[in-house]
Amino acid sequence: MKKIFALMACLFIFVACDFTKESVKVRPDIDITYIKPIAAYIDIDSLVRASIKIEEIHFVPRNSVDCVIDRMVLEYYSSDGKERFLGPIEVPMYVKIKGIVDPEEVDTTVIEEIPLPVDTVVGYMLNKPANNAKALLQFISYDDYGDGTCDTARCWFGFYRTP
């Protein structure tokens, strides 16, 4: 009889652990570890007004959840961060980030050539006597398992007026 109760207890613990594992949702967790360049100079007097490109941004997972960055949200702020003069602007993208499998070898995902429009920044610097501004880049990622959990990685990018 004791063997039957011990077997039933083991079976109950196995089922309970399996149920707990499936009911707990683990959120994706990513960080930005590198951005090149971190700021750019804008020539206000130049007639050519194009976009500035961020050469590369590196993402690193912090847990084992695979995720997909599905959009970038841009917001432009004054240098003190109190006044938002443009945004939010959503830029769709698709970047797959693999979760950590081996803690000693974490994969780094790189996004290259991200354009940032500067026409509004130039207008802001001309209308207000400002020498700098900044952009908040937010990368929204969702888990790759269909649970709908998300994470946001944020970084700032600076704009400086050439003397």
Side-chain angles (χ1 to χ4, degrees), residues 39-149:
Y41 286 102
I42 298 175
D43 187 8
I44 299 292
D45 301 326
S46 174
L47 297 177
V48 178
R49 301 235 168 80
S51 64
I52 292 175
K53 290 191 177 187
I54 298 175
E55 292 177 27
E56 59 186 45
I57 296 180
H58 294 198
F59 295 89
V60 173
R62 295 291 177 200
N63 60 15
S64 62
V65 177
D66 296 344
C67 63
V68 173
I69 296 176
D70 75 334
R71 67 183 174 270
M72 175 181 68
V73 179
L74 285 172
E75 295 179 10
Y76 291 88
Y77 287 90
S78 61
S79 61
D80 59 2
K82 294 181 180 178
E83 178 186 357
R84 182 174 68 190
F85 59 88
L86 180 66
I89 301 169
E90 289 192 10
V91 179
M93 59 177 46
Y94 181 85
V95 178
K96 174 115 169 132
I97 298 178
K98 293 197 284 186
I100 297 174
V101 177
D102 183 8
E104 295 178 4
E105 296 181 19
V106 178
D107 291 336
T108 299
T109 304
V110 179
I111 301 177
E112 297 178 342
E113 302 294 325
I114 299 174
L116 298 176
V118 296
D119 290 342
T120 306
V121 177
V122 169
Y124 171 77
M125 289 182 179
L126 288 174
N127 291 335
K128 300 214 176 207
N131 291 328
N132 52 11
K134 57 187 177 179
L136 175 63
L137 287 75
Q138 302 176 70
F139 296 89
I140 315 295
S141 64
Y142 288 92
D143 68 343
D144 208 19
Y145 308 121
D147 290 337
T149 58

Side-chain angles (χ1 to χ4, degrees), residues 2-13:
K2 289 181 183 180
K3 290 182 183 180
I4 293 175
F5 282 131
L7 184 62
M8 288 178 59
C10 289
L11 182 65
F12 177 73
I13 290 172

